[in-house]
Amino acid sequence: MKTKKNNSTTGKAFDLGLFKRLLAFTKPYKKTFYFVAIAAIVLSALGVMRPYLLRFAIDDGIVEKDVKTTQFYILMMLLVLIGEVIFQFSFIFFANWLGQKVIRDLRVKLFNHMMDFKKQYFDNSSVGRLVTRAVSDIETIASIFSQGLFMIISDLLKMIAVLFVMFYQSWQLTLLVLTVLPFILYATRVFQKKMKVAFEDVRAQVSNLNSFVQERISGMKIVQIFNREQEEYKNFKNINEKHKKAWIKTVWYNAIFFPIAEMSTSITIGLIVWFGGLRVVESDVLSLGIIIMFIELAQMLFRPLRQIADKFNSLQMGMVAANRVFGIIDTNSKIENQGQIEAKNLKGNIKFNQVRFSYVKGEEVLKGINLEVNSGETVAIVGATGAGKSTIINLLSRFYDIDSGEILVDGKNLKSYELNSLREEIAVVLQDVFLFADSILKNISLNKPAIKEADIIQAAKDIGVHEFISSLPNNYHYNVKERGAMLSSGQRQLIAFLRAYVSNPGILVLDEATSSIDSYSEQLIQEATEKITKGRTSIIIAHRLATIKTADKIIVMDQGEIKEVGKHDELLTTNGFYKRLYEAQFEKEVDISA
């Protein structure tokens, strides 16, 4: 598993490369993007026009006691205000619309990318963290467009327009205002850097909290069985405390910055009134209208600075979230799918030639095994835990790729088959059956249009599980709830058998499918096994050796190597691994029954 290096660094206020990647998602919505940008420019012009018109309303209307002139400028200000409201509404609506479109496309891209990850990636990754990336982190990215990017651009344009009007009206008052500006710019810069680090910590703590809660809720049964409530409560309080401290740090920076910004504005207004007022009294260089206009413009100059800092928070939170999301998108953990052959109607001839494999480099799980399964055979694989039985199945379905050697299916290299079509031809029934919070019908068909309800009912009758399903409320439309919680382990196993049967696979795999079920369910499953294995290549990974006596071939594994191959009766005649396993299990069963 490889991850491309991300250029974003903690403490860096803005990552241009990351930002360009985000902007690429706006390409399908260019017209909206340009409209929002134009609206930002118009808003900056309209915002400056109001105090400019106010200056003339005071000097040419109120001071001169000219009613018509006063009314004219008031009307003009009203029209400007109406225009500002219309553009402000359009700006906010379409900026948010664009943000939602972008995160929708980004979320689809992320989810689609994760769907192709190797099984190993999910083995090593926290589900809670992945959920955080796909849901809350991507939602945070929307703020870049709705509250960050365009809002900041609009505010910067407004500040430029304000400075232009200021210099045009009075360069002395403008320089007076600008004496305070470097101080607040410096404070803003420091604030941005500190907030970037703080928000990195916030997102990390949110991810930890989500991961902890998700795992504990999923494993609540174990928590309660082993009386771990108090310990997990303490752990949760500790994680939640870290989460609180991360957020308080952002509050602390805000609490320092915004009073400083407000004080700077007040000082600037005081300087304008002092200097400008003296000029008005002493000479006619400045007018009352200009003084009031400068007070308005100064507030318009400093207000965006405060807002930019606040919006930069949203922008930075979005950038931090984007950095995390792109970190997953940049992760190269896919099984290569370069096969050109469609795996349709496989006969099921399987051959492993000197196959070696390791989950961790240098720690081989399969040590050069040779294995052959003929079409239509039922082959059982047995051995102690960790012998490498399930690994063979993972490699056959290409959840992992081998380190060396060759796997052939119907005489062709496994990698030459198109991956999705290959997996369509291999049905696996696991010991730990996963069911979605949906109806039995949809858990069997997995929403495949080709599998009809009538087909499922007939298949259930064929393998003897129709009676069990019919006994449930709403029968095939019974909602099994999350992970199939409304069914027993044996019932879930029967659903899994039916799911495998209706897919009509060329190769069937049963991975310890009868190791933890009651005797009644086991009888039903044995009958179902005989039905679904008939006429197709079947591989049974067995823990209970009594269930594989009729297998065409039994393969005995130990520590990643094949030790013995033969039929049940043949293997019992030799004093080997299989005989010792069988006798140990038989003695254990006798002791339990006694």
Side-chain angles (χ1 to χ4, degrees), residues 113-253:
H113 186 66
M114 289 195 299
M115 292 279 282
D116 292 332
F117 278 169
K118 296 177 183 177
K119 189 171 178 289
Q120 186 176 13
Y121 180 86
F122 297 103
D123 292 341
N124 298 328
S125 301
S126 163
V127 174
R129 281 185 173 85
L130 293 179
V131 170
T132 300
R133 301 294 175 267
V135 181
S136 61
D137 276 346
I138 287 187
E139 199 64 42
T140 303
I141 292 172
S143 63
I144 291 177
F145 298 93
S146 61
Q147 300 173 37
L149 169 67
F150 294 114
M151 291 289 189
I152 290 174
I153 291 173
S154 178
D155 286 342
L156 287 173
L157 290 172
K158 189 177 291 185
M159 290 171 64
I160 292 170
V162 165
L163 286 171
F164 176 81
V165 173
M166 279 182 163
F167 270 110
Y168 178 73
Q169 290 295 313
S170 172
W171 63 268
Q172 298 100 326
L173 282 179
T174 304
L175 291 178
L176 189 66
V177 171
L178 292 181
T179 57
V180 183
L181 192 61
F183 174 73
I184 194 168
L185 284 175
Y186 175 75
T188 301
R189 179 64 175 168
V190 172
F191 176 69
Q192 289 167 358
K193 287 186 175 182
K194 294 292 185 181
M195 289 301 287
K196 176 67 168 17
V197 177
F199 281 131
E200 285 274 10
D201 191 22
V202 166
R203 298 314 303 169
Q205 295 306 326
V206 167
S207 181
N208 290 338
L209 187 63
N210 285 348
S211 179
F212 182 89
V213 172
Q214 189 273 334
E215 288 180 354
R216 268 53 183 188
I217 290 176
S218 297
M220 189 57 69
K221 185 176 181 180
I222 298 299
V223 171
Q224 293 177 344
I225 287 174
F226 288 94
N227 195 29
R228 292 282 302 172
E229 290 93 339
Q230 288 301 316
E231 288 298 320
E232 296 303 337
Y233 173 68
K234 291 177 183 176
N235 291 336
F236 177 78
K237 284 184 67 177
N238 184 43
I239 292 174
N240 198 38
E241 179 67 18
K242 290 179 180 178
H243 177 260
K244 182 204 73 176
K245 286 180 178 178
W247 271 110
I248 286 179
K249 191 181 291 184
T250 68
V251 174
W252 168 254
Y253 292 139

Side-chain angles (χ1 to χ4, degrees), residues 398-434:
R398 286 202 69 198
F399 292 127
Y400 302 88
D401 277 333
I402 60 177
D403 297 339
S404 63
E406 186 180 40
I407 301 176
L408 303 175
V409 175
D410 288 359
K412 300 179 179 66
N413 191 294
L414 196 67
K415 292 184 179 180
S416 66
Y417 288 103
E418 197 281 322
L419 184 59
N420 295 319
S421 66
L422 173 69
R423 290 178 178 171
E424 286 280 352
E425 283 291 300
I426 302 174
V428 182
V429 180
L430 300 171
Q431 176 186 355
D432 183 19
V433 177
F434 186 93

Side-chain angles (χ1 to χ4, degrees), residues 63 103 105 160 165 175 177 203 208 279 357 367 467 556 571:
V63 173
I103 66 169
D105 296 345
I160 292 170
V165 173
L175 291 178
V177 171
R203 298 314 303 169
N208 290 338
R279 300 290 84 77
F357 174 75
K367 304 172 182 178
E467 185 178 344
V556 185
L571 293 173

Side-chain angles (χ1 to χ4, degrees), residues 431-473:
Q431 176 186 355
D432 183 19
V433 177
F434 186 93
L435 297 179
F436 297 96
D438 211 328
S439 67
I440 289 177
L441 188 71
K442 290 185 178 179
N443 269 290
I444 294 169
S445 69
L446 296 177
N447 291 315
K448 293 180 181 178
I451 301 177
K452 308 297 182 185
E453 183 173 356
D455 300 328
I456 293 173
I457 293 173
Q458 185 57 52
K461 290 178 180 177
D462 291 343
I463 66 173
V465 299
H466 175 70
E467 185 178 344
F468 139 64
I469 297 175
S470 298
S471 67
L472 297 171

Side-chain angles (χ1 to χ4, degrees), residues 48 82 90 244 333 335 341-342 373 445-446 477 493 553:
V48 175
I82 292 171
S90 302
K244 182 204 73 176
S333 183
I335 294 288
I341 303 172
E342 288 291 320
V373 180
S445 69
L446 296 177
H477 297 278
Q493 206 67 258
K553 187 189 299 181

Side-chain angles (χ1 to χ4, degrees), residues 302-517:
F302 286 102
R303 189 183 304 121
L305 277 177
R306 297 198 300 271
Q307 291 175 347
I308 284 174
D310 191 31
K311 287 160 189 172
F312 211 92
N313 294 346
S314 299
L315 181 62
Q316 286 185 324
M317 286 187 73
M319 295 294 281
V320 169
N323 184 46
R324 294 175 181 274
V325 170
F326 282 123
I328 296 179
I329 291 177
D330 291 341
T331 299
N332 182 16
S333 183
K334 294 175 67 173
I335 294 288
E336 291 185 9
N337 185 15
Q338 299 177 350
Q340 301 296 319
I341 303 172
E342 288 291 320
K344 296 293 183 182
N345 302 314
L346 292 179
K347 293 179 181 178
N349 290 302
I350 303 169
K351 192 171 184 179
F352 281 58
N353 288 329
Q354 286 297 311
V355 171
R356 293 182 177 274
F357 174 75
S358 54
Y359 294 103
V360 180
K361 191 174 181 180
E363 300 178 14
E364 280 193 334
V365 178
L366 297 183
K367 304 172 182 178
I369 68 167
N370 294 295
L371 167 64
E372 191 165 351
V373 180
N374 298 320
S375 176
E377 276 190 334
T378 297
V379 176
I381 304 177
V382 301
T385 301
K389 307 184 296 296
S390 295
T391 300
I392 289 177
I393 307 310
N394 287 331
L395 296 179
L396 185 60
S397 298
R398 286 202 69 198
F399 292 127
Y400 302 88
D401 277 333
I402 60 177
D403 297 339
S404 63
E406 186 180 40
I407 301 176
L408 303 175
V409 175
D410 288 359
K412 300 179 179 66
N413 191 294
L414 196 67
K415 292 184 179 180
S416 66
Y417 288 103
E418 197 281 322
L419 184 59
N420 295 319
S421 66
L422 173 69
R423 290 178 178 171
E424 286 280 352
E425 283 291 300
I426 302 174
V428 182
V429 180
L430 300 171
Q431 176 186 355
D432 183 19
V433 177
F434 186 93
L435 297 179
F436 297 96
D438 211 328
S439 67
I440 289 177
L441 188 71
K442 290 185 178 179
N443 269 290
I444 294 169
S445 69
L446 296 177
N447 291 315
K448 293 180 181 178
I451 301 177
K452 308 297 182 185
E453 183 173 356
D455 300 328
I456 293 173
I457 293 173
Q458 185 57 52
K461 290 178 180 177
D462 291 343
I463 66 173
V465 299
H466 175 70
E467 185 178 344
F468 139 64
I469 297 175
S470 298
S471 67
L472 297 171
N474 297 326
N475 48 74
Y476 288 87
H477 297 278
Y478 179 65
N479 192 311
V480 300
K481 304 300 181 185
E482 189 173 356
R483 300 183 67 90
M486 302 304 291
L487 302 176
S488 68
S489 58
Q491 290 172 329
R492 290 196 294 270
Q493 206 67 258
L494 289 169
I495 299 299
F497 267 80
L498 184 54
R499 181 161 61 191
Y501 183 60
V502 296
S503 66
N504 194 27
I507 299 171
L508 176 69
V509 178
L510 306 180
D511 189 354
E512 301 200 25
T514 61
S515 62
S516 59
I517 55 176

